[in-house]
Amino acid sequence: MRGRALGIGTRAGAALLTVGVLAWLPQYYGATDTALFAKAIYIAIAALGLNLLTGYNGQVSIGHGAFFGFGAYATAILMNDHGWDFLATLPVVAVASFVVGAAVGFPALRVKGLYLALITLGLAALFPDLVTKYVHGTGGTTLVQPPLPTSPGWAQGFAPNDDQWRYYLALTIGIVMFILAWNLVRGRFGRALLAVRDHDAAASTIGIDLARIKVGSFAISALYAGIAGSVGVMVTGLANAGRVETFQLSINFLVAVVIGGTATVLGPVVGAWTFVFLERATQDLFPDQALLSPAIFGVALILLLFALPDGIVGGARRTGRFARRKLQARRAPRAPDFPSPIREDRQ
Amino acid sequence: MALLEVDGVGLEFGGIRALDDLEFTVEAGEICALIGPNGAGKTTLFNCVSRVYTPQRGSIRFDGRELLTLPPHRVARAGVGRTFQNLALFPALTVLQNVMVGAYSRGRGGAWSDALRLPGVARRERRLAREGSELLERLSLDHLGDQPASDLPYGTLKRIEIARALASQPRLLLLDEPAAGLTHSEVEELGGTIRQIRDDFELTVLLVEHHMPLVMSISDRVVVLDLGRKLAEGTADAVSQDPQVIAAYLGAEL
Ligand SMILES: Nc1ncnc2c1ncn2[C@@H]1O[C@H](COP(=O)(O)OP(=O)(O)OP(=O)(O)O)[C@@H](O)[C@H]1O
Ligand SMILES: [Mg+2]
């Protein structure tokens, strides 16, 4: 949210180029890779939302895998048991996840920091039990496998295969969610999110209703995770909520936010793609040593964070600011000093 | 009727009586200084007025309206702005954004209209930025608008806090030790600034300050606090002659 680093034109150009490359990917790569790209997109959607809560508002959640699962099951069940169209399930999932997120956000008002993290962890632990209790899927399991959207006639020109079509659906939804988040943090609500995170007493004295902002950011982040779950079902064809999966997803979202850069809109997206590719790359490294790849993946993440403590986007920005200052210093050899030295007394 | 009426306010922290049946008023348009030794309860009173703390006894009325029944975030809209003894800026925001968020209580619109950039949002943002820049200019901060509100000189950060408080267009401004940590010349400038904004924005100012020359030069009236009670009140000259006040400050500067 700092001063504009790049001009509007540069930004628009970069955005167009990025969208162009993303649109081209499934034309060149096969089905396996396209599924991987689509996975990066739905992880990015969830991370975008989690970043609003954790990065911008300072509330750490390690339970957003539960909201993801909620969205996934809602879409899968509506499609499978009630014959809904995939896109028609999205508004329902958005509203329902928002409401569930608010319901969780209210009790979360009373706790902060580590305690909040623990409570959200409890959410991730509880969710699979709820699924076991209420979901009756294929052959008595909790798996729900809805029929997947197929490429319509008018799209045969650019997406003859169904996996390409699903990728484009995911990409479109991802872009919409990205633009919404981009707008959101650049206005009144976004400033309030950061103000509450940075100094809640001061935020309250300038008229910000702390409860409203905190519950609101919880609800919005849950909406993002829910939509990510819907997209996940559309890509993988499967809603599933094992204890391990729910927990792992929750951590994955958080890792994507942190390695991408907290409190930047682009960060979680870059983080999600980096995450998915690092995971994939370390899988292929030692094909016959299944246990080794998660360890190498972990080490890679640690190294990445060690090199870029404020994430990839944060680090890039820092470098950009540094370079600009150097350039300016060269143009104007003596930057004006501030007249007032600091005197520390009675503080 | 006085603009601010503090009436029998009492607040205890555990065994400590921070405010003890405190009673005083602030008239509309005046610069009233609230002084007293360290730990007298000055900041605690500010925290009661801005609803950070709720006193156990008493009432605080602003323009005849009870503040103690309002939720904390309604105090700004009622017309009370404040600064903090220890800086309380939002370092993740730029200087201009700090001032823009200061106008939060005057605005409306939630997450939805922002996310969808409904018509009006862009216009509102431009207006907030323009008003914010004007305020920054008033406080000679306009060259800093795009800088993050951290890593700036202490006196500058204090002025940014005043600008943020003014953004809500308050009628009563509570300043908690605005001169602390400032250089000699900065304090003189601050005195002029406080007077100027009082006149220009038709403000009433309640000023907590240890810097006696500043208190002497700008306040219309002084209220002296000691151990949570009002010890004396009157003109700056009168209270500084008061033997009780001198005794309370014994050993401290006055
Ligand atoms: N949150 C709190 N918990 C416990 N005691 C508190 C709290 N806030 C203030 N106090 C106590 O209340 C008394 C009044 O403190 P306060 O900060 O209001 O003094 P002050 O007049 O602002 O002093 P100073 O000039 O040093 O800022 C002190 O004894 C202080 O220790
Ligand atoms: Mg104090």
Side-chain angles (χ1 to χ4, degrees):
Chain A
M1 295 211 60
R2 306 216 161 137
R4 214 162 256 160
L6 307 168
I8 291 278
T10 324
R11 285 185 170 217
L16 270 181
L17 188 70
T18 310
V19 172
V21 170
L22 289 175
W24 164 82
L25 285 176
Q27 304 295 330
Y28 183 79
Y29 291 97
T32 321
D33 287 323
T34 301
L36 196 68
F37 301 143
K39 179 181 177 187
I41 291 175
Y42 69 73
I43 301 260
I45 295 174
L48 269 172
L50 184 61
N51 185 38
L52 293 173
L53 180 73
T54 301
Y56 282 88
N57 200 223
Q59 305 190 74
V60 177
S61 166
I62 39 182
H64 267 50
F67 297 119
F68 182 95
F70 177 80
Y73 272 104
T75 287
I77 290 171
L78 285 173
M79 289 176 76
N80 200 45
D81 302 357
H82 305 276
W84 285 40
D85 200 48
F86 167 69
L87 285 177
T89 69
L90 291 182
V92 177
V93 167
V95 172
S97 320
F98 184 89
V99 171
V100 174
V104 175
F106 259 109
L109 280 177
R110 311 202 132 262
V111 291
K112 276 184 186 170
L114 268 182
Y115 295 98
L116 178 59
L118 276 180
I119 285 187
T120 54
L121 182 63
L123 189 68
L126 180 70
F127 182 71
D129 292 336
L130 290 177
V131 170
T132 315
K133 188 150 193 259
Y134 294 107
V135 175
H136 309 290
T138 327
T141 66
T142 55
L143 301 184
V144 182
Q145 292 170 279
L148 288 177
T150 50
S151 184
W154 58 266
Q156 292 306 314
F158 63 96
N161 301 321
D162 290 340
D163 66 289
Q164 290 172 318
W165 172 247
R166 284 174 214 137
Y167 170 86
Y168 284 122
L169 271 182
L171 180 61
T172 310
I173 296 166
I175 290 174
V176 169
M177 298 308 276
F178 179 84
I179 292 173
L180 291 179
W182 179 272
N183 287 340
L184 188 66
V185 302
R186 273 165 184 71
R188 175 180 152 84
F189 188 79
R191 284 188 295 267
L193 284 178
L194 285 170
V196 170
R197 184 198 71 181
D198 279 358
H199 202 300
D200 55 356
S204 167
T205 24
I206 54 173
I208 297 175
D209 183 350
L210 300 182
R212 199 184 134 145
I213 298 296
K214 286 184 166 186
V215 174
S217 62
F218 230 105
I220 293 171
S221 71
L223 183 156
Y224 269 80
I227 293 291
S230 304
V231 175
V233 164
M234 195 254 312
V235 170
T236 61
L238 182 69
N240 179 23
R243 207 174 289 283
V244 177
E245 289 88 343
T246 309
F247 180 67
Q248 212 160 38
L249 271 175
S250 306
I251 299 292
N252 292 358
F253 301 154
L254 206 56
V255 171
V257 169
V258 175
I259 61 177
T262 53
T264 63
V265 187
L266 204 54
V269 178
V270 174
W273 283 77
T274 311
F275 179 87
V276 169
F277 280 94
L278 266 184
E279 192 181 40
R280 178 60 195 275
T282 50
Q283 259 167 26
D284 293 346
L285 226 47
F286 301 98
D288 44 336
Q289 298 273 337
L291 278 177
L292 210 53
S293 37
I296 295 173
F297 178 49
V299 171
L301 288 180
I302 292 170
L303 286 179
L304 186 62
L305 272 185
F306 194 73
L308 297 166
D310 46 358
I312 298 167
V313 173
R317 281 201 182 165
R318 201 154 25 83
T319 317
R321 267 201 300 274
F322 180 75
R324 240 175 314 136
R325 214 171 299 141
K326 283 273 163 192
L327 270 178
Q328 277 166 1
R330 194 171 303 165
R331 279 189 207 130
R334 270 169 52 86
D337 287 334
F338 293 108
S340 38
I342 305 168
R343 219 188 77 206
E344 292 283 337
D345 61 5
R346 209 172 16 239
Q347 272 312 300
Chain B
M1 185 182 58
L3 187 66
L4 183 74
E5 299 166 273
V6 176
D7 193 358
V9 169
L11 175 58
E12 279 154 39
F13 294 109
I16 302 169
R17 252 189 214 166
L19 297 176
D20 186 7
D21 199 19
L22 178 63
E23 202 147 342
F24 73 93
T25 58
V26 181
E27 298 297 326
E30 73 177 343
I31 296 179
C32 176
L34 186 61
I35 67 169
N38 292 118
K42 307 177 295 290
T43 299
T44 304
L45 175 78
F46 272 20
N47 283 334
C48 289
V49 176
S50 56
R51 302 285 291 114
V52 178
Y53 299 155
T54 301
Q56 283 118 2
R57 284 172 301 282
S59 115
I60 300 177
R61 285 182 301 276
F62 175 70
D63 203 13
R65 179 175 178 199
E66 180 61 58
L67 287 182
L68 296 183
T69 53
L70 289 184
H73 64 273
R74 286 299 159 124
V75 175
R77 197 187 295 176
V80 182
R82 78 171 280 190
T83 67
F84 290 79
Q85 181 170 355
N86 301 307
L87 287 170
L89 287 167
F90 308 122
L93 299 176
T94 65
V95 171
L96 179 60
Q97 285 166 342
N98 265 276
V99 180
M100 287 167 75
V101 79
Y104 190 89
S105 62
R106 293 192 291 121
R108 40 175 68 251
W112 298 118
S113 49
D114 280 358
L116 299 170
R117 280 263 152 185
L118 292 183
V121 169
R123 205 175 336 120
R124 181 199 69 200
E125 287 293 308
R126 275 197 303 275
R127 180 174 50 78
L128 278 176
R130 194 183 58 237
E131 289 173 358
S133 307
E134 280 166 15
L135 268 178
L136 287 179
E137 211 177 311
R138 291 297 295 267
L139 290 155
S140 326
L141 295 163
D142 37 332
H143 56 298
L144 296 175
D146 284 337
Q147 298 234 13
S150 53
D151 308 326
L152 289 168
Y154 194 74
T156 308
L157 293 172
K158 290 221 133 185
R159 266 197 323 231
I160 299 169
E161 246 198 272
I162 296 179
R164 182 182 69 189
L166 288 174
S168 68
Q169 299 182 352
R171 284 195 290 155
L172 173 66
L173 180 62
L174 312 174
L175 297 174
D176 200 347
E177 302 201 18
L182 265 54
T183 61
H184 192 72
S185 63
E186 281 179 324
V187 173
E188 259 171 32
E189 202 185 314
L190 175 72
T193 307
I194 293 175
R195 271 215 164 120
Q196 193 71 48
I197 56 179
R198 190 264 309 257
D199 296 343
D200 294 354
F201 299 109
E202 294 174 2
L203 278 178
T204 304
V205 177
L206 183 58
L207 168 75
V208 164
E209 193 46 75
H210 283 290
H211 195 287
M212 280 309 135
L214 177 68
V215 170
M216 297 290 203
S217 67
I218 65 167
S219 43
D220 302 307
R221 206 160 52 88
V222 178
V223 174
V224 188
L225 225 62
D226 187 32
L227 303 173
R229 302 181 67 94
K230 184 171 77 180
L231 193 64
E233 75 173 288
T235 62
D237 283 334
V239 296
S240 61
Q241 312 287 321
D242 190 315
Q244 267 187 303
V245 174
I246 294 169
Y249 266 98
L250 207 64
E253 50 170 326
L254 185 78

